[in-house]
């Protein structure tokens, strides 16, 4: 009899900005033949729509209505997710600083989060995904097969983010300040604050190379696949 094909896992990678989640999630997904979904890009797309319509980031009712009237799609590609807002490609625009700040602000609202979490569950329900964000292991997929919380020293995260954003022309000071404020807001909001799930594996990437972090996460995945195939045989 032929070997049963391995079960398709749900892998949650959470952590603060600049910890290296996107790179690790997309490389891991590629290695496993899974899809990689950047949940933050959905908050960014909604925030962009709020900016374009000159809406207040503090008005939960208006933002909830906006979400319900929006079509936000993520299309995994080799270079990260392509982001479509109402069928328009906003992939580059949502990475700009004003959208980062707005995304962090719109994401504090429970009704906005509820809408996002429902969409994210639909996207991942069949497994075979690596989803990255802030609340994937705590809220979106509390039963995820693997939960990794990727952290790094704030100074290192700032340096990494500044390097990325320099390419887009942002200043070092404004980038570091934006990251610090976003961190504070993401960690202290009342609803689904950024924190590791009780059963998450915490990896601190401060003194590890990207290869080393990827190697560790891959080892965790292999262990899981092995134990679940043993349990099935
Ligand atoms: O991952 P990112 O930097 O693209 O996320 C942008 C903002 O979206 C982040 O500051 C907080 C919010 N976010 C969230 O609240 N929950 C998620 N699962 C992902 C992002």
């Amino acid at each position: 009899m032929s070997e049963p094909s391995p079960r398709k896992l749900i892998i949650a990678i959470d952590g603060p900005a600049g910890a290296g989640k996107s790179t690790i999630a997309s490389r891991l997904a590629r290695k496993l033949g899974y899809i990689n979904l950047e949940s933050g890009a959905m908050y960014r797309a909604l925030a962009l729509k709020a900016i374009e319509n000159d809406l207040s980031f503090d008005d939960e009712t208006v933002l909830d209505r906006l979400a319900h009237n929006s079509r936000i799609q993520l299309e995994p590609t080799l270079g990260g997710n392509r982001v479509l807002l109402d069928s328009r490609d906003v992939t580059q625009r949502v990475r700009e600083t004003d959208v980062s700040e707005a995304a962090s602000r719109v994401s504090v609202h429970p009704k906005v989060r509820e809408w996002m979490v429902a969409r994210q569950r639909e996207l991942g329900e069949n497994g075979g995904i690596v989803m990255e964000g802030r609340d994937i292991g705590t809220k979106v997929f509390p039963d995820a097969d693997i939960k990794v919380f990727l952290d790094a020293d704030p100074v290192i995260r700032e340096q990494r983010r500044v390097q990325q954003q320099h390419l887009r022309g942002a200043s070092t000071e404004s980038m570091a300040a934006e990251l610090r404020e976003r961190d504070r807001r993401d960690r202290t909001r009342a609803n689904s604050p950024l924190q590791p799930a009780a059963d998450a594996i915490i990896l601190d990437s401060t003194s590890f190379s990207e290869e080393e972090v990827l190697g560790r996460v891959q080892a965790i995945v292999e262990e899981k696949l092995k134990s679940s195939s043993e349990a099935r045989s």
Side-chain angles (χ1 to χ4, degrees):
M1 226 169 64
S2 63
E3 284 278 307
S5 55
R7 193 160 68 85
K8 291 201 144 207
L9 306 179
I10 294 181
I11 302 175
I13 302 194
D14 289 302
K21 299 187 300 295
S22 300
T23 321
I24 295 297
S26 88
R27 290 189 63 190
L28 179 67
R30 222 175 307 155
K31 284 198 182 272
L32 294 169
Y34 284 12
I35 54 172
N36 164 222
L37 294 169
E38 300 170 4
S39 64
M42 298 179 69
Y43 289 92
R44 287 172 178 272
L46 182 68
L48 174 61
K49 194 160 170 178
I51 292 173
E52 290 176 342
N53 288 279
D54 209 12
L55 302 176
S56 162
F57 306 137
D58 301 323
D59 191 331
E60 179 168 19
T61 307
V62 164
L63 292 170
D64 181 41
R65 195 176 319 130
L66 189 72
H68 280 85
N69 289 316
S70 300
R71 188 166 148 80
I72 297 172
Q73 293 162 279
L74 300 181
E75 288 180 358
T77 73
L78 285 181
N81 284 183
R82 184 165 173 249
V83 189
L84 299 176
L85 171 62
D86 299 326
S87 306
R88 178 165 52 106
D89 189 330
V90 293
T91 312
Q92 300 301 324
R93 177 68 182 96
V94 294
R95 293 289 153 204
E96 289 176 20
T97 315
D98 60 333
V99 181
S100 303
E101 153 81 9
S104 170
R105 291 183 60 185
V106 305
S107 70
V108 303
H109 301 298
K111 284 186 180 151
V112 169
R113 302 200 67 82
E114 213 176 285
W115 185 86
M116 291 288 175
V117 168
R119 301 287 80 69
Q120 289 157 2
R121 285 187 183 144
E122 285 165 8
L123 290 172
E125 64 192 357
N126 295 326
I129 58 149
V130 183
M131 193 177 282
E132 53 123 327
R134 306 289 189 287
D135 62 342
I136 310 306
T138 52
K139 275 278 151 58
V140 181
F141 292 115
D143 295 327
D145 298 284
I146 292 171
K147 299 179 186 178
V148 172
F149 190 90
L150 195 56
D151 210 343
D153 184 278
V155 175
I156 298 289
R157 292 194 288 109
E158 279 171 25
Q159 283 170 2
R160 289 180 187 159
R161 197 32 72 98
V162 164
Q163 269 167 8
Q164 279 170 0
Q165 297 291 332
H166 256 336
L167 305 173
R168 299 171 213 265
S171 81
T172 305
E173 299 75 37
S174 69
M175 278 315 308
E178 184 265 328
L179 187 114
R180 245 171 281 146
E181 173 54 17
R182 202 145 69 86
D183 243 18
R184 187 201 58 74
R185 196 183 291 115
D186 295 348
R187 286 183 198 270
T188 58
R189 67 182 173 221
N191 193 274
S192 308
L194 169 66
Q195 60 182 29
D199 52 351
I201 294 164
I202 300 178
L203 287 182
D204 188 321
S205 71
T206 308
S207 42
F208 292 118
S209 69
E210 193 180 300
E211 278 328 301
E212 285 169 324
V213 176
L214 183 65
R216 283 175 176 234
V217 180
Q218 264 187 282
I220 295 166
V221 173
E222 274 158 27
E223 187 55 39
K224 183 78 191 179
L225 286 170
K226 199 166 129 227
S227 62
S228 59
S229 82
E230 277 166 7
R232 288 195 300 164
S233 62

